Amino acid sequence: MKKTLFTIILFHFSMLLSAQETFHLVQFNDKKQTNFSLSNPEEYLSASAVNRRKVMDIAIDSTDLPVVQSYIDAVAATGAKIWHPLKWFNAVIVSNANPAEIEKIASVSKVMDMSDKTMGGIQEDLKTETYNYGKSEQQNVLLGIDKMHADGNKGEGIHIAVLDAGFRNYTTNPFFSDLNLGEAFDFYAKNSNVADDHTHGSDVLSTMAAFDEGNYVGGAPEATYYLYRTENTAYESRIEELMWVAAAERADSIGVDIIQSSLGYYDFDDASQNYSHTDLNGKVAWITIGANHAFTKGILVVSSAGNEGVGSWKKISFPSDSPFVLTVGSVNLTTLNKAISSSFGPTADGRTKPDVMAAGEGAWVVKSTGTVSTSNGTSFSAPQMTALCAGLMQALPEGTMPMDIITRLRRAGDKFSAPDSLYGYGIPNYERALLITDLEENESLFKKVKVYPNPVDGTAIKVELPSKFKNMDLEFVWYTMAGQVIQKQEAVNEKNIVLLELPADHRGQYLLLRVSTEEYYKTFKVKVN
């Protein structure tokens, strides 16, 4: 009897070992085919789970969505035994699997042998959703758009009007198959067909809206786009400026948030219409006056600086001279040096232009033919900046004014402390822009300020201040690394040491502590154990 029992146990143990050896984890590419929505979490999370996230200010994201059942069914159809889906890993545990057959399934990312210990472990923040950007990775990372997307800010709810010469093949180009189209309108033909005109607008649009993960992802793929043909490539005339104004008015009436314009004017077929450098004062050209009006209506206008750096004109073009337009110059994607063709400032009345820079020389775009290749010009740096603006608008409180966005981006530029007429305020970054306030950062003033212990255990941290801060009103603001406010504390510096409470529920993280006076601030990075 004992021998029989031992044999049975040994048999089951052998079967268990055998089963363990055949376990695999099948991971999927996405959850695009889900029948659930992030806006209705009650369909797949309990009321208490939803409430816990609200109380702890934890966003409901794609890791909360169930694994797509049709993806699991496709794996099961290969003969694999399905055990349990893992929504956090977007995967399913299987046994008796044929990895070669499963890997042929389009929705499958990879099949992992669970006996391979190198496959395990969390390799990224599972609260975030990032993309495989393909060719667009370097230019997106340059502006911090990858971090912006990881925060969930991909342009959703932001309306962008693109004023250009045409958007050839956008309706048939597979990279635009998920395009959120508000409307399209040709201001010359007076119809909605802009897909048979010039290719320039399609190239511009791609840097914002194209989406084919693994090949190319634009900076604001979830924004809604309004495609307006205002440029007529058959001639150069001031009538094109007025068509631009007509489109801007239409955009305003619809409720557009941003006007993206990779168009610029200064000379025309009729030389008597030409502008001069003295006209670059923000109030002469028809198109500039139109951009000024758009600003007063609460629309952010983002304009390419122009590509006249090596020509006779050299300067920025109109409407980039407007003080109310975000003017974008171009750098080489590899060296980050100013692109030789990028137009420069200053304006006739001495203002710094361009405002900011992005990749325009060697920039990756999706052509109207559906191919991904490089192109040159501020035409492509400007829409990348527009995508960053869309993400910032989504991240910041509703009603954030256009000038606040412009100011943030200027101050977030890598040349903010020493702007010039070639680079403006430099290349901005999403995370830096989120942290910008109306205050001015002052490194020398805060040079002797000490924040300790760092890393910090316990529940409090000390800020030691020099005597020049005595009796000053100070504000201390804790932020996440993504720039989201956690808590604020005000204090009068009476003893040169202020004791601050650490934010609750943020253990094991890096946080940012901004210390500010009425005029200046400095941000410290703190590790909370």
Side-chain angles (χ1 to χ4, degrees):
M1 180 71 179
K2 288 183 180 180
K3 183 177 180 180
T4 302
L5 179 61
F6 177 78
T7 301
I8 292 172
I9 292 173
L10 182 61
F11 174 78
H12 279 287
F13 184 66
S14 299
M15 288 296 293
L16 179 60
L17 285 177
S18 176
Q20 286 177 332
E21 290 176 352
T22 63
F23 273 101
H24 287 78
L25 186 68
V26 179
Q27 195 165 38
F28 300 105
N29 289 312
D30 54 53
K31 296 183 179 179
K32 290 181 180 178
Q33 302 302 317
T34 183
N35 293 321
F36 300 97
S37 168
L38 293 178
S39 60
N40 294 305
E42 295 81 4
E43 295 180 346
Y44 46 89
L45 294 174
S46 69
S48 59
V50 172
N51 184 64
R52 184 175 70 252
R53 285 160 170 77
K54 289 180 180 178
V55 170
M56 295 185 178
D57 195 26
I58 298 173
I60 294 171
D61 60 23
S62 64
T63 61
D64 293 302
L65 292 171
V67 179
V68 177
Q69 187 59 48
S70 61
Y71 295 176
I72 297 174
D73 293 343
V75 173
T78 67
K81 181 178 179 180
I82 305 297
W83 287 83
H84 300 287
L86 300 177
K87 63 181 181 180
W88 292 352
F89 293 174
N90 192 21
V92 63
I93 302 169
V94 302
S95 62
N96 301 328
N98 183 334
E101 286 299 311
I102 295 174
E103 286 175 347
K104 295 177 182 178
I105 301 172
S107 60
V108 170
S109 170
K110 55 186 172 181
V111 180
M112 291 171 280
D113 184 343
M114 298 316 295
S115 66
D116 184 352
K117 295 180 181 179
T118 65
M119 294 293 187
I122 298 174
Q123 299 177 354
E124 62 182 2
D125 182 359
L126 291 176
K127 291 182 180 179
T128 66
E129 181 182 355
T130 57
Y131 292 126
N132 177 355
Y133 290 102
K135 295 293 188 181
S136 63
E137 180 175 8
Q138 189 177 355
Q139 62 199 44
N140 282 334
V141 170
L142 181 63
L143 298 179
I145 285 176
D146 57 326
K147 305 295 185 184
M148 184 176 86
H149 289 172
D151 281 355
N153 299 315
K154 304 160 190 172
E156 183 180 8
I158 306 301
H159 298 261
I160 302 173
V162 187
L163 281 55
D164 217 289
F167 304 84
R168 185 175 298 172
N169 297 339
Y170 87 91
T171 54
T172 56
N173 191 329
F175 283 85
F176 295 127
S177 60
D178 295 323
L179 178 71
N180 296 321
L181 180 67
E183 73 164 357
F185 193 77
D186 185 328
F187 281 81
Y188 295 94
K190 294 185 180 181
N191 61 35
S192 61
N193 185 12
V194 298
D196 61 347
D197 295 301
H198 203 274
T199 62
H200 188 264
S202 300
D203 295 356
V204 167
L205 179 65
S206 72
T207 65
M208 299 178 284
F211 189 93
D212 183 8
E213 189 169 6
N215 291 321
Y216 192 100
V217 177
E222 295 183 4
T224 301
Y225 292 91
Y226 300 78
L227 310 183
Y228 296 147
R229 179 189 174 224
T230 65
E231 161 81 2
N232 193 327
T233 57
Y235 53 76
E236 286 295 312
S237 168
R238 284 195 182 183
I239 190 61
E240 295 171 290
E241 294 185 72
L242 297 184
M243 292 295 189
W244 191 100
V245 176
E249 289 184 1
R250 185 174 181 124
D252 171 46
S253 67
I254 288 174
V256 157
D257 303 295
I258 305 174
I259 289 176
Q260 155 57 39
S261 177
S262 286
L263 302 172
Y265 301 94
Y266 67 91
D267 67 343
F268 304 94
D269 294 341
D270 179 356
S272 67
Q273 296 181 6
N274 289 356
Y275 292 111
S276 67
H277 284 164
T278 58
D279 295 325
L280 287 168
N281 59 16
K283 51 188 178 184
V284 171
W286 288 113
I287 193 170
T288 299
I289 296 171
N292 294 344
H293 276 288
F295 173 84
T296 66
K297 306 302 181 184
I299 299 173
L300 173 63
V301 179
V302 182
S303 177
S304 57
N307 305 309
E308 307 304 324
V310 292
S312 58
W313 177 263
K314 298 190 183 302
K315 294 276 192 172
I316 59 172
S317 52
F318 305 90
S320 290
D321 64 317
S322 168
F324 310 114
V325 164
L326 181 65
T327 303
V328 187
S330 166
V331 297
N332 179 281
L333 180 59
T334 302
T335 67
L336 303 187
N337 292 327
K338 174 189 168 296
I340 188 172
S341 63
S342 185
S343 296
F344 49 84
T347 61
D349 52 339
R351 287 176 286 110
T352 298
K353 287 286 182 174
D355 294 293
V356 288
M357 309 289 278
E361 189 171 79
W364 289 95
V365 304
V366 178
K367 296 292 187 177
S368 61
T369 56
T371 59
V372 180
S373 61
T374 56
S375 285
N376 300 318
T378 58
S379 285
F380 311 113
S381 59
Q384 291 174 54
M385 194 63 62
T386 295
L388 176 56
C389 292
L392 285 173
M393 283 186 173
Q394 191 178 353
L396 294 168
E398 186 177 2
T400 298
M401 299 299 290
M403 188 50 71
D404 183 56
I405 299 291
I406 294 173
T407 300
R408 282 176 179 271
L409 290 173
R410 286 171 177 166
R411 292 188 173 181
D414 61 357
K415 296 185 181 295
F416 170 67
S417 59
D420 59 34
S421 61
L422 298 178
Y423 290 88
Y425 295 88
I427 303 169
N429 175 277
Y430 165 75
E431 290 179 310
R432 291 197 302 269
L434 274 185
L435 291 173
I436 298 299
T437 69
D438 290 333
L439 307 177
E440 182 178 343
E441 187 161 17
N442 190 317
E443 187 73 30
S444 61
L445 179 66
F446 291 86
K447 186 175 182 179
K448 295 185 178 180
V449 174
K450 298 179 181 178
V451 176
Y452 65 92
N454 189 9
V456 57
D457 298 301
T459 60
I461 195 169
K462 293 180 179 179
V463 180
E464 183 177 326
L465 300 146
S467 57
K468 60 185 173 184
F469 284 86
K470 192 69 178 288
N471 297 321
M472 276 191 182
D473 292 325
L474 300 171
E475 182 181 60
F476 304 89
V477 183
W478 289 98
Y479 295 86
T480 66
M481 289 300 292
Q484 297 167 327
V485 176
I486 301 171
Q487 70 182 38
K488 297 181 181 181
Q489 179 178 333
E490 294 181 354
V492 176
N493 176 30
E494 296 178 346
K495 299 180 180 180
N496 291 344
I497 293 181
V498 176
L499 188 67
L500 298 179
E501 292 184 5
L502 290 171
D505 303 320
H506 288 276
R507 296 289 173 185
Q509 299 181 25
Y510 282 98
L511 299 178
L512 298 174
L513 173 63
R514 194 190 71 201
V515 182
S516 58
T517 66
E518 290 183 352
E519 296 181 275
Y520 303 104
Y521 77 96
K522 183 177 178 180
T523 303
F524 300 84
K525 187 176 180 180
V526 178
K527 175 68 167 67
V528 181
N529 291 330

